[in-house]
Each structure stands twice: as C-alpha cells, then as structure tokens.
Amino acid sequence: MSIIKIENMSFGYTNSSETLTNINMEINEGEFVAIIGENGSGKSSLIKCILGLNKIQKGKIVVNDRIGYLPQLTEIQNNFPATIEEIVLSGTIPDNVFKIFYTKDDRKKAEDVMKKLNLYDMRKKCFDELSGGQRQRVLIARALCSTDKIIILDEPVNSLDSKVVSGIYDILNDLYKNKGITIVMVSHDVERCIKYCSRIIEMENGKIIKDINSKDYKKKEA
Amino acid sequence: MFETIGEMFKLSFVNRAIIVGSLVSLCAALLGVSLVLKRYSNIGDGLSHVGFGITTVAVGLGATATLPIAIPVVIIVAILLLKVGNNHKIKSDSAIAIISSSALAIGVAVTSVTSGLNTDICNFMFGSILAMSISDVILSIAVSIIVLFLFVVYYRKLFAVTFDEDYSKAIGLKTGRYTNLIAILTAIVIVVGMRMMGTLLISSIIIFPALTAMKICKSYKRVVIGSGIISVFCFLVGIFFSYVYNISTGAMIVIVNLILFLLFTFLDKVIKE
C-alpha cells in the first residue's frame, strides 16, 4: 500500500528557477528507500517537500501517515540544554489534543524506544554532552515516538566515524526488517545503500534519473 | 539590613514595585529561555524601543493610559520581527536595528515638540519604582497571570518548537502559531515591565537569567525553573540596593544579573576543570 505518492511535482526556492522538476514517485509500506545523488541534486529539497517544509509550486504530494523525521545533525542546536528523555518525549506531541503534561502512555512509549536504542540508562544526560552517534540515536528515538510507520532521514551518517556509521545502519536495518517500519533516507554512501536498502532513487539536477531496486542498481553499476 | 527591608515594606510604592517586578521578572525569564535558544535575544531590545516610541506618541497626543495603546502596537511589531527572522532575504538583526532606532528617533522627536525631556520620559528611558500606579499593578498582575498560564499550557509545544522547528512542523505542529505566541507574550511583558526597568534595560531581564541558568542547569526544565528563580532573586536584590543607595532600579537589577552571570560562568569553568 502506498504511504507517500508524488505526482508531477515541481518546486523552486524562487519563482524563476526550479530546484525540483516534474517529480513522480510512490513509496510503499515496508520499503527501505535511499535517495542518492550529487550535492545540489535536490535530495534534501525533495524530502523537505514531502515533510511540508517546502511549499511546492506544481503537482501534488499525498502522505497517508504521520512521518517521523531525522534532520541533518548540522541543523540541530548541539549545545541545547535538554536531556535525552526530554528530547525523545517531545516526539510524542500531537497538535490536536489539549494536553498540558505527558501522559503515562507517552512516557511508556519513550521508555520503550529509549530501551530499544540503548539510551535508557543515560536518559538524564544532557544533549550537549553526547557524541555525534549518540545524538543520532536520540533523534531516531524521537522520530520513533512520533510514528511507528515511516521515518525520513536526511544524511543520518554524515560526518560520523565508520564504527558509529555501522551502528546507525544496524539500527535502521532492524527497524526495517524486524519492525516493518518504512524508511526513506537521503545518503551519499552508495555502497551501504546497496547493501541495506530495498530501492534506490538517484537524482540529478532536480530530476529523478533512476528508480530501481538495489540489486538491479548494483548490477547496472557493475 | 532587616530594618531597611522592614522600612521598605512600609512604603506602598515599593510594595507595588515588588509585586509587579517579581511577576514581570518571572515572565520575562521564562520567555527568555526560548528567545535566547532561538537566537532572538535582540528582539527584546528592539521591542522596548518600539514601546518607548509609541508611548511618547501616545503621551504627546494626550493619552492618559498608554499601556492599552502600546501593547497592541508592540505585539504587531514583535510578530513582524519574528516573521522577518524566518525570511532569509532580510537579516533579522538588521530589521531589529532599523525598527528600534527608528522607533527611538520618533519617540525623541515627538518628545522634543511636545512635553520635552521631563521626568516621565526619563522614567520610561531608565525606569523607576515610583512609576508604578495602582492601575499598572492590576494590569501587570492580570497580564502576568495570563502569560504564566499560557506558558505552562504550551510548555511542551514551546520546547519542541524551540529545539527543532522543522521537526515540529514535519510532525504536524502549527509552529507559526507558537512562534507568534512567544512574540505576543514577549511584547506584553516588555511593555508592562518597561516603566520599572526602563526602555534601555528591559531586554536584559529577558536575556541574563536564561544565560545564567544555562551555565549550570543541564535540562530544559531546570533551565526554565532556574531562570525564573534567578530572575526574581536578582530583581529583589536589585530593588533593595536601588532603595538603599538611591540608584536607578533598572540599572541596579541589571548589575546584579551581571554579577550573578559572571559568578555562574566562573563556577561552570571550575566544575568543568
């Protein structure tokens, strides 16, 4: 079943130029999709359109579920004075319910997610005391508190060392294979995308130039 | 010292100032945490200048009650300034500088052609505990209760928007609504607190307590609570020394805030080493 559907979508940061041109794609439940391409090819702009952060000029995007989002680490205030627990809990916030305090269910959900990602024992630690890999785990946990259906990640392993990168991919692989969570990830790491993802979308100059499963992509690359 | 404190509490204008000042300091400090973390620290300064400009225009036009005129105007400017902050074409610090200097210039020009630089205008510029009338006290209490109520009700959402606005938007929060809420509450607190702290010093009670609390508190909740406590403490100490040494109240409160900030910065360094 389709969870995201994009039809004839175009987007530009100014009215005179198009960053994304005539994008058509569909993401189905249970897929692990990598969006790859050179810098400036439109990968991050595309996911920001899906998330509603960029206002599209043409076409339409239909999203059938609440999305959890993992922004680039550079977009996060690394010296923010908040504990892991506070950040993970903030993922449970809905807009349509008048709730002043976190409920027992919210706390249970955050606790389960933190235990799953080995964050529970350090939940009182401040965000600014964490390493890059730990911060990414916190942000994945927050995304999982928002939804257990689909998460979108914008270059989740950028500027992390290789050991930490493997750990992050293991977590994503577990979410995809064992928890059935749909994952859409922007990445430059083609090799790992072929290894872990089920489908690869390649972009160039704001257009999708390839959209195939990762095995076929590997054969074509070879 | 206790004799002086007892003497202070016998004076009705001091009691009024303590009630209003404590409430305004508390509200300013709570909002200050979000403003500092969202890098909107300068907005308090800009809004206070706008508050001064509109107040002098109101006085020049013969208005007796200035707060009902100043509050809506400053709210509109606050929303515009935060909107500019999200617009990458104009730098928000430039917009704040333009608006604050223009508002101050209009205020000074209007003062020159109307009342001249009298005590009232000086009180607006530098603050005075004598400036608080009973109607100011009632309005300040009402406004402060509303600010505190809204802050508590929207605490979780304000946290989410302050930490990561894009994420909050992506999961469906109406982030513009909460950014506007911060702007509106800040504008109200600034206009209400301006009479006592002064146009030139009011922004410091927004920024200092939050920065001081962040030196030692390692969770958002503690920073918010710590900021509130520090702010009220600095206000009370400041007003005491202001009374004893006959120094401008606003200036004394800022000096106490500065001393505490330097002390906490030193403590933070010692702890880290």
Side-chain angles (χ1 to χ4, degrees):
Chain A
M1 193 189 132
S2 147
I3 203 159
I4 296 169
K5 195 172 184 182
I6 304 177
E7 284 175 8
N8 307 318
M9 187 269 283
S10 295
F11 162 76
Y13 287 100
T14 58
N15 289 332
S16 54
S17 67
E18 277 188 349
T19 307
L20 299 170
T21 310
N22 199 30
I23 303 286
N24 287 286
M25 64 185 246
E26 200 170 337
I27 289 167
N28 298 309
E29 255 180 43
E31 283 191 298
F32 189 167
V33 182
I35 303 174
I36 61 169
E38 298 289 313
N39 282 336
S41 58
K43 309 180 297 291
S44 294
S45 299
L46 174 60
I47 61 162
K48 285 188 175 176
C49 288
I50 296 171
L51 293 163
L53 302 175
N54 286 340
K55 209 174 171 186
I56 61 169
Q57 274 96 28
K58 280 184 216 156
K60 73 172 181 184
I61 300 175
V62 180
V63 179
N64 290 322
D65 224 305
R66 192 177 187 184
I67 298 174
Y69 170 48
L70 197 89
Q72 288 187 30
L73 260 187
T74 48
E75 290 176 17
I76 294 288
Q77 299 185 51
N78 288 335
N79 57 352
F80 197 89
T83 60
I84 292 175
E85 192 176 30
E86 286 177 312
I87 292 168
V88 175
L89 265 169
S90 72
T92 63
I93 295 170
D95 197 32
N96 53 351
V97 182
F98 191 84
K99 282 196 302 187
I100 298 178
F101 303 107
Y102 291 110
T103 61
K104 265 188 186 170
D105 285 348
D106 293 338
R107 291 190 183 279
K108 179 78 177 61
K109 196 174 185 183
E111 194 183 311
D112 290 346
V113 169
M114 284 190 288
K115 279 180 180 164
K116 201 185 292 171
L117 296 176
N118 294 326
L119 294 165
Y120 188 71
D121 291 339
M122 52 164 140
R123 64 190 184 282
K124 298 291 176 197
K125 232 178 168 183
C126 189
F127 192 65
D128 69 359
E129 295 167 346
L130 305 179
S131 66
Q134 287 171 329
R135 281 180 187 156
Q136 284 298 43
R137 277 195 284 144
V138 172
L139 298 179
I140 293 173
R142 178 183 64 165
L144 290 173
C145 267
S146 299
T147 177
D148 51 6
K149 291 278 166 57
I150 174 167
I151 52 174
I152 293 183
L153 307 97
D154 194 355
E155 301 191 27
V157 293
N158 209 6
S159 71
L160 298 178
D161 65 58
S162 59
K163 203 178 164 190
V164 177
V165 169
S166 300
I168 299 290
Y169 274 104
D170 287 343
I171 291 169
L172 297 178
N173 198 37
D174 176 57
L175 296 173
Y176 159 60
K177 288 224 165 110
N178 303 325
K179 309 286 183 301
I181 294 174
T182 308
I183 298 173
V184 180
M185 174 181 72
V186 167
S187 179
H188 284 287
D189 190 348
V190 180
E191 211 172 292
R192 277 200 169 92
C193 288
I194 291 171
K195 187 179 169 190
Y196 290 100
C197 302
S198 60
R199 179 177 156 199
I200 292 178
I201 294 173
E202 188 172 346
M203 296 190 69
E204 195 179 272
N205 297 325
K207 289 178 185 156
I208 293 175
I209 55 164
K210 269 183 207 154
D211 184 354
I212 50 176
N213 71 53
S214 48
K215 279 177 193 160
D216 290 343
Y217 189 89
K218 192 180 178 182
K219 278 180 203 160
K220 280 197 176 178
E221 287 297 293
Chain B
M1 189 176 98
F2 291 110
E3 268 177 38
T4 317
I5 292 172
E7 198 182 288
M8 276 174 73
F9 278 107
K10 281 179 192 156
L11 301 167
S12 59
F13 72 88
V14 175
N15 286 333
R16 286 201 293 270
I18 286 174
I19 294 167
V20 175
S22 301
L23 286 169
V24 169
S25 301
L26 181 62
C27 294
L30 300 184
L31 293 168
V33 175
S34 280
L35 291 170
V36 168
L37 288 169
K38 280 177 83 63
R39 291 168 173 67
Y40 290 143
S41 302
N42 283 335
I43 216 162
D45 210 32
L47 293 181
S48 62
H49 288 71
V50 174
F52 173 78
I54 189 68
T55 303
T56 51
V57 170
V59 170
L61 293 171
T64 46
T66 54
L67 285 180
I69 300 167
I71 287 175
V73 175
V74 179
I75 285 174
I76 292 166
V77 175
I79 292 170
L80 286 176
L81 283 177
L82 286 186
K83 286 249 184 301
V84 168
N86 294 328
N87 179 345
H88 301 294
K89 283 180 195 164
I90 312 164
K91 298 267 181 230
S92 63
D93 56 343
S94 315
I96 292 171
I98 289 169
I99 289 180
S100 69
S101 54
S102 306
L104 196 60
I106 291 167
V108 172
V110 171
T111 305
S112 306
V113 295
T114 55
S115 58
L117 203 64
N118 58 24
T119 321
D120 253 4
I121 300 297
C122 277
N123 286 346
F124 277 127
M125 294 287 270
F126 304 109
S128 165
I129 51 169
L130 296 168
M132 304 308 299
S133 67
I134 289 176
S135 61
D136 284 343
V137 176
I138 294 165
L139 185 69
S140 306
I141 291 172
V143 161
S144 301
I145 288 170
I146 293 169
V147 171
L148 290 173
F149 174 76
L150 290 174
F151 187 86
V152 172
V153 167
Y154 291 110
Y155 171 83
R156 297 192 317 159
K157 285 161 187 170
L158 290 177
F159 168 80
V161 172
T162 306
F163 177 60
D164 187 352
E165 195 165 336
D166 276 357
Y167 180 84
S168 306
K169 213 175 189 177
I171 63 166
L173 275 185
K174 307 247 179 313
T175 54
R177 187 187 289 174
Y178 300 110
T179 311
N180 283 345
L181 180 69
I182 295 173
I184 291 167
L185 298 183
T186 306
I188 294 171
V189 168
I190 281 176
V191 176
V192 172
M194 231 173 68
R195 291 182 75 95
M196 194 178 58
M197 287 295 295
T199 301
L200 301 177
L201 301 169
I202 179 76
S203 62
S204 62
I205 64 165
I206 289 176
I207 301 163
F208 267 123
L211 287 176
T212 307
M214 279 177 215
K215 292 285 171 199
I216 50 158
C217 300
K218 294 293 173 195
S219 83
Y220 186 78
K221 193 168 148 190
R222 283 184 189 170
V223 168
V224 168
I225 295 170
S227 179
I229 293 170
I230 288 166
S231 188
V232 175
F233 171 78
C234 289
F235 166 75
L236 294 173
V237 174
I239 204 167
F240 173 75
F241 285 110
S242 157
Y243 176 81
V244 173
Y245 297 108
N246 197 22
I247 299 170
S248 159
T249 318
M252 203 59 235
I253 292 165
V254 176
I255 290 168
V256 177
N257 266 296
L258 174 65
I259 291 168
L260 214 63
F261 173 73
L262 294 174
L263 184 71
F264 277 45
T265 306
F266 174 72
L267 280 176
D268 180 43
K269 281 216 164 124
V270 170
I271 292 165
K272 275 180 185 160
E273 277 165 17

